[in-house]
């Protein structure tokens, strides 16, 4: 039964992750395209009446002549193409992944026993409330007088994001903290589309169909939210993939690194946005991005907190983690981890000069990390032979069976 549940969830995660990537590419691609198109519009002598600008493009062996109306043309076409499901599908599949990956395995992936004694349901509630509250606070500020100044608004938004980065790293595991920062930001972006951009466009369409003159303010509001989405896109991509970057999320100053990642996304997007809009090349933005990246590299070397965290006496294990530790087979499993895995998966790997840090941040030389990565150990070293890679440490079949029995019997309790 445990085999079916674990394998089923793993393949369900793969399916949603693949779909998430596909629809995410579609959303990001259309977002980048329309921002570039919007900024690249030019005035022309043959512009249609009420048209704001035009652009000629060549692609796929043909030419495209595109014109934009700030409000609408005199006659609305019968068929309008809406770009919305790319955004909705990205958020829905991302939220499904959050549930499958982090909520179903909250004891091992969401909670860090060194940080607090949260139960799984408590951590999940904090996760849900923080994501929802982020949109409510952001949307309220945007609609206030304070939100009339875009520069001032963006600075406050950045301060909020930095505060959330610090807060998440204090509550969740480091890996989950970065993922939640991405989910927090992506929810704002998708909610912008669902609650503001598309409804405002529908108001304009309804006014035109009824013979009324649409209010230009709806387009202005939608444009503001679309610009926010554009500048937040690159950081969100990083945070959604951050589980591959333990040097970013697993170091002492990870929340500062997160703050700098947001700035990197802004500087590099500003280069392309300015280039599209003014045909200027602001090369200083690349220098600023490189300087920010160098600062991130330097911060990632400050690992004092990680060394101190090896004191097992400070860990607070969840009930499920305690079951894994209390099982009669655990000590044998731990010996297997120390003998077959810890040459790479340790605070100070010694397998080769190329292994400078534990792959994926999994240090299997202590109780805390062994139980936190129990499902991964079960999947990759028990049910399958993907670990150790090429079986370089000569893990025996009896040891793999030991891992399987330990995990399945523990989870059955």
């Amino acid at each position: 039964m445990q085999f079916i549940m674990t394998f089923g969830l793993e393949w369900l995660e793969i399916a949603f992750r693949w779909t998430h990537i596909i629809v995410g590419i579609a959303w990001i691609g259309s977002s980048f395209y329309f921002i570039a198109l919007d900024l690249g519009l030019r005035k022309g002598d043959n512009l249609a009446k009420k048209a704001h600008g035009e652009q000629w493009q060549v692609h796929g062996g043909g030419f495209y002549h595109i014109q934009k109306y700030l409000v609408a043309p005199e006659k609305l076409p019968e068929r309008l193409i809406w770009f919305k499901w790319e955004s909705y599908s990205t958020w829905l599949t991302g939220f499904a992944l959050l549930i499958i990956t982090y909520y179903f395995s909250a004891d091992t992936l969401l909670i860090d026993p060194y940080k607090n004694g949260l139960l799984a349901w408590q951590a999940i509630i904090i996760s849900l409330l923080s994501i929802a509250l982020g949109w409510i606070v952001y949307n309220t500020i945007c609609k206030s007088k304070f939100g009339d100044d875009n520069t001032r608004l963006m600075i406050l938004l950045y301060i909020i994001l930095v505060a959330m980065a610090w807060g998440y790293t204090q509550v969740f595991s480091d890996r989950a903290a970065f993922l939640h920062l991405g989910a927090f930001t992506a929810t704002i972006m998708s909610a912008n589309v669902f609650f503001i951009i598309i409804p405002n466009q529908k108001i304009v369409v309804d006014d035109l169909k009824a013979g009324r003159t649409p209010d230009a303010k709806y387009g202005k509001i939608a444009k503001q939210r679309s610009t926010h989405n554009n500048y937040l896109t690159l950081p969100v991509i990083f945070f959604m993939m951050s589980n591959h970057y333990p040097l970013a999320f697993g170091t002492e100053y990870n929340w500062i690194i997160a703050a700098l990642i947001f700035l990197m996304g802004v500087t590099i997007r500003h280069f392309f946005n300015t280039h599209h809009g003014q045909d200027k090349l602001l090369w200083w933005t690349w220098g600023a991005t490189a300087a920010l990246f160098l600062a991130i590299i330097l911060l990632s070397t400050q690992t004092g907190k990680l060394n101190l965290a090896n004191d097992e006496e400070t860990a607070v294990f969840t009930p499920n983690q305690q079951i894994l530790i209390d099982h009669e087979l655990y000590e044998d499993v731990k010996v297997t981890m120390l003998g077959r895995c810890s040459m790479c998966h340790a605070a100070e790997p010694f397998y080769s000069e190329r292994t400078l840090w534990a792959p994926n941040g999994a240090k299997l030389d202590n109780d805390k990390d062994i139980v936190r990565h129990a499902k991964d150990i079960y999947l990759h070293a028990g049910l399958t032979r993907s670990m150790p890679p090429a079986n370089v440490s000569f893990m025996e079949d009896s040891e793999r069976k030991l891992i399987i029995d330990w995990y399945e019997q523990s989870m059955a309790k």
Side-chain angles (χ1 to χ4, degrees), residues 244-247 343-349 352-363:
H244 298 289
Y245 312 136
L247 282 181
M343 63 281 294
C344 293
H345 290 279
E348 297 181 1
S352 73
E353 293 181 357
R354 291 176 297 176
T355 308
L356 302 178
W357 53 84
N360 292 325
K363 306 173 188 66

Side-chain angles (χ1 to χ4, degrees), residues 260-294:
L260 297 180
I261 288 168
F262 277 113
L263 290 180
M264 285 178 61
V266 169
T267 53
I268 206 64
R269 276 310 303 164
H270 189 62
F271 171 85
F272 288 105
N273 288 345
T274 306
H275 171 55
H276 293 315
Q278 304 175 18
D279 290 328
K280 292 182 179 180
L281 297 178
L282 299 183
W283 294 112
W284 67 264
T285 58
W286 286 90
T289 304
L292 290 168
F293 190 60
L294 179 60

